[in-house]
């Protein structure tokens, strides 16, 4: 039985580890400025935890096999209540490993969340509602106009779904779209809102995820460093259509972006 | 406080009941109540497992029509998610290890004739039972059971118009949890009082088996956590039905104003996770205690580092209340707070690592007997390591950005608080079955059950890590709307097939359980040659546990292969060991 256990535990360990190391399934290829740092730290954590995982499982398999009851040929059982020195060393080692690993991420986390977006950032307001994402650009005046919940018409979509208030002059030039278009290599400030329940704005390739919470306007920022189309998902359970609350992010060259925005703004005139 | 004379215990003694109702239904006997909790959890685990089976079928065949049940709609899938999680967490993982085994064996292991408050004990079971009935009733009301997930995030859970099932079904869900909390609070008080006041002479705190330590600390966690959840549940009910706005700001559903304003959705999350994270330890601590106990018994060796184990249990209990924010890194909570919670969370990994180290140290140099309880204890260590190792990924906010709300999270918590805890329950069942029913379980069936469960659960949950890293979100009823998820469908098929096999393997357990109850070979009083007090009494134990006398304890709980002792174990009530170290 000891040998069967050893084989089963080792096989489970090696097969599981193989698919991690072979990267058969792995993080999607990233396309944002924060990707490199996050993925590097992911790999570091993966290697360290992988070593602990394999070492512990291999030891477990070995110990149950080696110290199986062999009847009269078993060696004498060690009568021991433990070893305080070993406990202290082990405790210190794991403390240093776990807390050190975490402190190493301070700068990454701070860059993402402690510091606000730069003045040059493109500002996009993202609003989640059951079950769609809407994107609003402030227009030439650089100001988001007022919205009024009483004016919301979800079935109409677009501006009407957001409840844009026509009485506010700042709202006249606001551009509302169903696809998020941003320029490459320029910081994007995202202002996250939700109308009804909590949603979560998740763009896997941008290493970006943040809940959109009703009653809050959450400011976040990221920089796309590759052009292309990227899927946007809702990551927080929001109701029966959660699985289809899907959007697209188009990252384009600065020229294309300017042209696209100018065309949208012209439609508003 | 350390030890007591018998007067305190005698005042709690009550005569053996006559008649079926007083003996088996409204019983005051902690052993019967323990069995009642156990069988309630057994019923609940099959309901919960059946729901997960439907989920796995729907995920890979979203358009399939099932016999009797018909189509599974997206909202039905979310109902399954919600009820699976709720039933498993409350009525299985909280009920069986603590309510079941804790009730049955805590008094016996400390040498007490019963719990401190037998009537309260009976009430706490029947309250829990009522909670379960109300929970199941949610399936059958208009609109069906709620779809807001077991975490019940507001405003989704607070607004009747937010989706199907958010009407009466959601009210019943909250009421059921509130009832459960009341039962759990009564149980917690009883466990704490019993442990502190009812120990036999000589049973000092540092001679208590680690199972008792685990149940004791779990009870303290329950006392502090369930009260908060109860309050939060009442506030949520008021938001839903009385027009208050604790958790709901000004929101519209489908463009319609709801009449609420000024509430905070994050407040619900803070209150919920202030309960929810300690709840994880409520589920796993008893299993840790079980595992420690069994590794020592079946390695025929003292537990490695008894004191370190006790301190680790206490540290986990204490730190368990300071880490709830790690569920909320992406919630909009202050990023500074997130970083603080993150450090505390990484810190709680330390006592967990100590325990793992000590389990391996216990095996080292032992003479291991591979009886069925030991197999599940070894499986527990393996699962605990595997489930624990993904913790530091999720505990670091920068990595949680990508992994939060993906399949990586259910992979993590199923391994550690789900399967590992359930392995603890299985280990306890195989270990204590002879004492509870006077018969032995079938070892061959137990081995089949063990290997199918171990390999099966790894086959189910290891691939979920891969899917999560690749970006598969949780709680998606189908993978048809997101293009890149098409690539993950083969992986999900594998998971579903592995789940079929694993679930089928559990039938072996049920057959073994009920067959052995009536047909198993008779058990002796101490079939495992273990040292703790439950093995000193008759099988099954008499109504007052020790047949009119109270044991006097002279030794620690894990004295195996003591040099100079006449046999390879020294019972706790044997004459005192000389110079044990």
């Amino acid at each position: 039985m000891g040998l069967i256990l050893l084989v089963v535990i080792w096989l489970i360990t090696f097969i599981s580890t193989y698919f991690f190391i072979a990267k058969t399934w792995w993080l999607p290829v990233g396309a944002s400025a924060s990707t490199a740092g996050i993925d590097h730290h992911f790999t570091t954590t993966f290697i360290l935890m992988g070593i602990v995982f394999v070492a512990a499982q291999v030891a477990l398999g070995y110990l149950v096999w080696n110290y199986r009851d062999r009847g009269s040929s078993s060696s004498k059982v060690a009568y021991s209540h433990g070893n305080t020195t070993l406990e202290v060393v082990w405790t210190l080692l794991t403390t240093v490993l776990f807390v050190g690993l975490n402190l190493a991420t301070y700068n990454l986390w701070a860059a993402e969340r402690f510091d606000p977006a730069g003045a040059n950032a493109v500002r996009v307001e993202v609003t989640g509602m059951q079950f769609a994402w809407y994107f609003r650009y402030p227009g030439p005046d650089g100001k988001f106009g007022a919205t009024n919940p009483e004016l919301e018409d979800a079935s109409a979509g677009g501006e009407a779904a957001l409840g844009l208030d026509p009485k506010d002059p700042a709202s006249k030039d606001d551009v509302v779209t169903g696809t998020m278009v941003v320029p490459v290599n320029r910081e994007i400030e995202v202002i996250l809102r939700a109308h009804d329940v909590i949603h979560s704005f998740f763009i896997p390739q941008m290493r970006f995820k943040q809940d959109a919470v009703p009653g809050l306007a959450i400011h976040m920022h990221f920089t796309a460093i590759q052009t292309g189309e990227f899927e946007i998902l809702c990551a927080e359970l929001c109701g029966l259509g959660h699985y289809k609350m899907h959007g697209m992010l188009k990252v384009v060259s600065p020229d294309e972006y300017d042209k696209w925005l100018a065309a949208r703004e012209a439609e508003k005139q | 406080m350390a030890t007591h004379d018998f007067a305190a215990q005698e005042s709690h003694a009550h005569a053996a009941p006559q008649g079926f109702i007083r003996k088996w239904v409204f019983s005051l006997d902690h052993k019967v109540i323990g069995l009642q909790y156990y069988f309630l959890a057994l019923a609940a685990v099959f309901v919960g497992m059946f729901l997960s089976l439907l989920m796995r079928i729907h995920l890979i065949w979203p358009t399939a029509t099932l016999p009797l049940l018909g189509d599974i709609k997206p909202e039905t899938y979310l109902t399954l998610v919600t009820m699976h999680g709720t039933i498993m967490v409350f009525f299985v993982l909280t009920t069986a290890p603590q309510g079941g085994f804790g009730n049955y064996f805590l008094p016996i292991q400390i040498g007490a004739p019963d719990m401190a408050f037998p009537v309260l004990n009976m009430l706490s079971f029947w309250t829990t039972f009522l909670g379960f009935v109300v929970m199941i009733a949610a399936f059958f009301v208009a609109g069906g059971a709620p779809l807001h997930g077991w975490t019940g995030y507001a405003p989704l859970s607070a607004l009747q118009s937010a989706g199907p099932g958010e009407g009466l079904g959601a009210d019943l869900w909250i009421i059921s949890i509130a009832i459960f909390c009341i039962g759990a609070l009564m149980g917690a008080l009883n466990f704490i009082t019993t442990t502190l006041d009812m120990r036999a002479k000589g049973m000092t705190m540092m001679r208590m088996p680690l199972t008792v330590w685990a149940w004791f600390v779990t009870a303290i966690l329950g006392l502090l956590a369930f009260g908060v959840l109860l309050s939060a549940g009442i506030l949520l009910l008021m938001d839903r039905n009385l027009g208050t706005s604790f958790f709901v700001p000004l929101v519209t559903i489908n463009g319609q104003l709801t009449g609420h304003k000024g509430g905070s959705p994050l407040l619900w999350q803070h209150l919920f996770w202030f309960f929810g994270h300690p709840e994880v330890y409520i589920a796993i601590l008893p299993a840790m205690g079980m595992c420690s106990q069994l590794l020592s018994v079946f390695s025929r060796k003292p537990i490695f580092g008894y004191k370190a184990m006790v301190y680790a249990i206490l540290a986990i209990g204490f730190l368990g209340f300071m880490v709830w924010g790690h569920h909320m890194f992406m919630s909009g909570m202050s990023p500074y707070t997130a970083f603080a919670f993150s450090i505390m969370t990484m810190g709680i990994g330390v006592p967990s690592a100590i325990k793992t180290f000590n389990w391996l140290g216990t095996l080292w140099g032992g003479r291991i007997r591979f009886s069925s309880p030991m197999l599940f204890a070894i499986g527990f260590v393996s699962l605990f390591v595997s489930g624990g190792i993904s913790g530091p990924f999720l505990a670091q906010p920068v990595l949680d950005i990508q992994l939060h709300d993906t399949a990586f999270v259910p992979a993590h918590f199923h391994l550690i608080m789900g399967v590992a805890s359930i392995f603890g329950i299985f280990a306890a069942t195989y270990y204590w079955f002879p004492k509870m029913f006077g018969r032995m379980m079938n070892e061959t069936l137990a081995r089949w059950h063990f290997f199918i469960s171990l390999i099966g659960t790894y086959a189910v949950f290891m691939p979920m890590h891969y899917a999560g890293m690749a970006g598969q979100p949780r709680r998606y009823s189908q993978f048809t709307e997101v293009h890149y998820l098409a690539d993950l469908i083969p992986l999900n098929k594998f998971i579903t097939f592995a789940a079929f096999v694993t679930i089928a393997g559990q039938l072996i357990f049920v057959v073994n359980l009920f067959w052995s109850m009536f047909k198993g070979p008779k058990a002796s009083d101490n079939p495992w040659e273990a040292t703790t007090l439950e093995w000193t009494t008759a099988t099954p134990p008499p109504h007052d546990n020790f047949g009119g006398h109270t044991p006097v304890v002279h030794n620690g709980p894990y004295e195996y292969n003591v040099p100079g002792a006449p046999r390879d174990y020294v019972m706790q009530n044997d004459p005192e060991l000389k110079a044990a170290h």
Side-chain angles (χ1 to χ4, degrees):
Chain A
M1 182 54 63
L3 189 63
I4 302 174
L5 272 172
L6 175 142
V7 171
V8 168
I9 292 173
W10 283 17
L11 273 181
I12 288 171
T13 307
F14 296 141
I15 294 172
S16 305
T17 312
Y18 168 79
F19 287 111
F20 282 109
I21 292 177
K23 297 194 176 181
T24 318
W25 298 274
W26 198 249
L27 308 176
V29 176
S32 71
S34 63
T35 302
I38 289 175
D39 287 16
H40 180 262
H41 190 69
F42 189 90
T43 306
T44 309
T45 305
F46 171 72
I47 292 171
L48 291 171
M49 290 303 130
I51 292 170
V52 177
F53 169 69
V54 174
Q57 301 283 7
V58 166
L60 177 65
Y62 171 78
L63 290 174
V64 297
W65 168 73
N66 189 47
Y67 294 108
R68 67 193 183 280
D69 187 355
R70 305 177 203 219
S72 54
S73 66
S74 269
S75 52
K76 208 169 158 315
V77 172
Y79 179 74
S80 154
H81 285 92
N83 183 321
T84 309
T85 316
L86 274 180
E87 301 274 5
V88 172
V89 170
W90 176 249
T91 306
L92 289 177
L93 276 179
T94 46
T95 310
V96 169
L97 172 69
F98 286 170
V99 178
L101 203 52
N102 201 20
L103 292 177
T105 66
Y106 180 86
N107 286 337
L108 271 173
W109 182 247
E112 282 260 312
R113 313 257 161 169
F114 295 174
D115 308 328
N120 186 37
V122 172
R123 288 194 299 151
V124 187
E125 184 198 70
V126 177
T127 304
M129 63 188 77
Q130 291 179 332
F131 299 96
W133 296 105
Y134 287 103
F135 307 97
R136 180 155 71 125
Y137 299 76
D141 66 355
K143 284 184 198 156
F144 290 108
T147 55
N148 181 347
E150 289 178 8
L151 300 175
E152 285 171 19
D153 181 356
S155 55
E159 290 174 14
L162 291 187
L164 212 57
D165 190 344
K167 279 184 269 180
D168 182 3
S171 73
K172 294 258 188 296
D173 61 349
D174 286 5
V175 170
V176 178
T177 65
T179 300
M180 185 176 183
V181 180
V182 300
V184 72
N185 291 328
R186 190 165 152 203
E187 196 169 38
I188 314 299
E189 178 174 12
V190 179
I191 302 141
L192 279 161
R193 296 176 185 277
H195 274 186
D196 36 32
V197 299
I198 299 173
H199 303 276
S200 190
F201 191 63
F202 180 29
I203 318 173
Q205 277 106 333
M206 295 298 148
R207 303 289 182 266
F208 188 97
K209 184 181 288 143
Q210 173 60 50
D211 286 4
V213 183
L216 296 181
I218 299 171
H219 292 250
M220 295 282 300
H221 53 94
F222 72 95
T223 306
I225 56 169
Q226 274 175 39
T227 56
E229 296 201 0
F230 305 98
E231 294 188 275
I232 298 169
L233 285 69
C234 178
E236 188 62 72
L237 176 57
C238 60
L240 64 95
H242 176 49
Y243 72 101
K244 58 182 178 188
M245 186 164 165
H246 184 256
M248 288 304 282
L249 167 72
K250 279 172 92 164
V251 181
V252 296
S253 69
D255 286 350
E256 273 179 83
Y257 173 73
D258 290 342
K259 270 187 219 153
W260 174 83
L261 191 62
R264 295 288 87 71
E265 286 168 357
E267 285 169 10
K268 295 282 297 184
Q269 299 304 317
Chain B
M1 185 90 60
T3 56
H4 276 261
D5 60 12
F6 308 140
Q9 296 193 339
E10 277 161 15
S11 67
H12 292 278
H14 41 87
Q18 307 300 320
F20 183 80
I21 299 273
R22 295 301 298 181
K23 196 169 176 190
W24 294 110
V25 183
F26 296 107
S27 173
L28 299 178
D29 183 341
H30 69 100
K31 297 185 288 297
V32 175
I33 296 169
L35 290 175
Q36 289 173 325
Y37 268 114
Y38 183 81
F39 285 107
L40 174 64
L42 192 69
V45 81
F46 274 88
V47 175
M49 199 167 67
F50 178 65
L51 301 180
S52 69
L53 181 68
L54 297 181
M55 283 156 63
R56 286 311 316 176
I57 290 173
H58 178 71
L59 275 175
I60 64 169
W61 296 298
T63 56
T65 302
L66 299 175
L68 300 177
L69 297 160
D71 295 335
I72 298 178
K73 294 189 292 246
E75 57 268 37
T76 317
Y77 175 81
L78 295 177
T79 295
L80 298 172
V81 169
T82 305
M83 297 299 274
H84 166 78
T86 310
I87 289 172
M88 288 299 203
V89 168
F90 290 99
F91 294 100
V92 179
L93 297 176
T94 311
T95 297
Q98 188 79 359
F101 292 112
N103 244 314
Y104 199 115
F105 287 104
L106 183 140
I108 311 187
Q109 285 199 328
I110 61 172
D114 203 325
M115 281 283 190
F117 310 115
V119 176
L120 194 69
N121 204 17
M122 175 182 78
L123 274 176
S124 67
F125 168 74
W126 284 106
T127 310
T128 309
F129 181 80
L130 177 66
F132 185 64
V133 171
V134 173
M135 182 62 69
I136 296 299
F139 280 114
F140 300 102
V141 296
L147 52 62
H148 51 227
W150 88 278
T151 53
Y153 275 17
L156 184 60
S157 60
L159 300 170
Q160 313 239 358
S161 56
E166 292 307 311
L168 185 55
D171 283 322
L172 289 178
W173 180 86
I174 300 166
I175 291 167
S176 161
I177 290 176
I179 295 172
F180 183 92
C181 289
I182 294 168
L185 287 170
M186 291 193 280
L189 277 173
N190 220 343
F191 274 64
I192 295 168
T193 313
T194 305
T195 311
L196 291 178
D197 275 358
M198 304 277 289
R199 279 172 288 125
K201 189 168 188 223
M203 180 59 83
T204 60
M205 294 292 270
M206 293 313 265
R207 277 184 186 160
M208 294 196 314
L210 289 168
T211 41
V212 174
W213 268 109
W215 289 318
F216 176 57
V217 174
T218 301
I220 297 173
L221 294 185
L223 189 67
L224 298 174
F226 282 111
V228 174
L229 182 66
L230 176 60
S231 321
I234 292 169
L235 298 184
L236 188 59
L237 267 182
M238 290 169 69
D239 272 10
R240 294 176 52 83
N241 297 301
L242 300 179
T244 57
S245 294
F246 292 104
F247 308 122
V248 191
L250 195 159
V251 296
T252 56
I253 295 282
N254 203 18
Q256 302 297 311
L257 281 166
T258 58
H260 292 275
K261 63 179 181 182
S264 163
L266 289 192
L267 175 62
W268 169 263
Q269 294 183 29
H270 280 294
L271 293 175
F272 182 83
W273 288 117
F274 185 82
F275 145 79
H277 200 78
E279 168 59 33
V280 174
Y281 297 104
I282 288 172
I284 193 81
L285 275 177
M288 289 172 156
M290 274 313 304
C291 176
S292 309
Q293 173 98 1
L294 297 185
L295 290 180
S296 175
V297 172
F298 292 95
S299 298
R300 315 307 296 166
K301 228 187 123 222
I303 188 83
F304 191 91
Y306 174 86
K307 279 186 186 159
M309 291 301 234
V310 171
Y311 298 149
I313 292 173
L314 293 170
I316 288 172
F318 181 69
L319 288 172
F321 276 102
M322 300 187 185
V323 298
W324 79 88
H326 70 219
H327 298 271
M328 298 170 60
F329 290 153
M330 304 302 132
S331 68
M333 178 180 72
S334 155
Y336 300 98
T337 321
F339 203 75
F341 274 122
S342 163
I343 291 182
M344 296 304 291
T345 305
M346 295 298 268
I348 208 169
V350 174
S352 305
I354 292 172
K355 297 196 80 83
T356 308
F357 180 74
N358 287 343
W359 289 326
L360 295 179
T362 303
L363 293 169
W364 184 286
R367 185 185 288 184
I368 299 169
R369 297 174 181 175
F370 296 108
S371 308
S372 49
M374 182 60 164
L375 294 180
F376 280 92
I378 292 167
F380 172 88
V381 176
S382 174
L383 290 160
F384 186 78
V385 169
S386 303
I389 222 77
S390 51
F393 289 83
L394 296 166
Q396 300 185 72
V398 288
L399 304 184
D400 193 47
I401 295 170
Q402 193 70 12
L403 299 173
H404 183 72
D405 271 323
T406 69
F408 196 91
V409 178
H412 163 71
F413 73 70
H414 272 94
L415 277 184
I416 196 137
M417 88 172 280
V419 185
S421 300
I422 284 181
F423 266 51
I425 297 171
F426 284 141
T429 305
Y430 286 111
Y431 182 64
W432 278 319
F433 185 92
K435 186 53 66 179
M436 294 191 291
F437 299 105
R439 292 175 186 273
M440 304 298 289
M441 288 182 80
N442 183 291
E443 280 291 302
T444 310
L445 290 178
R447 286 178 176 189
W448 278 103
H449 175 225
F450 168 72
F451 281 108
I452 293 174
S453 300
L454 184 74
I455 299 170
T457 48
Y458 268 114
V460 169
F461 296 110
M462 217 22 115
M464 278 192 197
H465 293 90
Y466 311 140
M469 289 193 305
Q472 178 182 313
R474 293 172 73 178
R475 296 168 165 178
Y476 268 34
S477 64
Q478 52 199 64
F479 303 135
T480 50
E481 309 299 313
V482 179
H483 305 302
Y484 73 78
L485 291 180
D487 298 341
L488 297 174
I489 288 174
L491 190 63
N492 278 285
K493 284 199 169 142
F494 177 81
I495 295 172
T496 296
F497 293 133
F500 290 165
V501 176
T502 314
I503 288 172
Q506 304 319 304
L507 300 178
I508 301 174
F509 172 72
V510 180
V511 168
N512 196 355
L513 186 73
F514 287 103
W515 184 85
S516 303
M517 223 176 266
F518 301 103
K519 301 280 179 188
K522 289 266 189 232
S524 64
D525 284 348
N526 189 4
W528 313 117
E529 302 183 299
T531 58
T532 42
L533 292 181
E534 74 271 32
W535 305 109
T536 64
T537 186
T539 294
H543 177 70
D544 67 350
N545 292 341
F546 296 97
H549 77 96
T550 307
V552 179
V553 173
H554 300 289
N555 298 301
Y558 303 112
E559 296 298 344
Y560 294 94
N561 275 296
V562 184
R567 50 186 182 185
D568 86 336
Y569 59 105
V570 178
M571 310 283 292
Q572 285 203 273
N573 63 345
D574 281 351
E576 190 172 356
L577 285 172
K578 300 281 183 260
H581 297 269

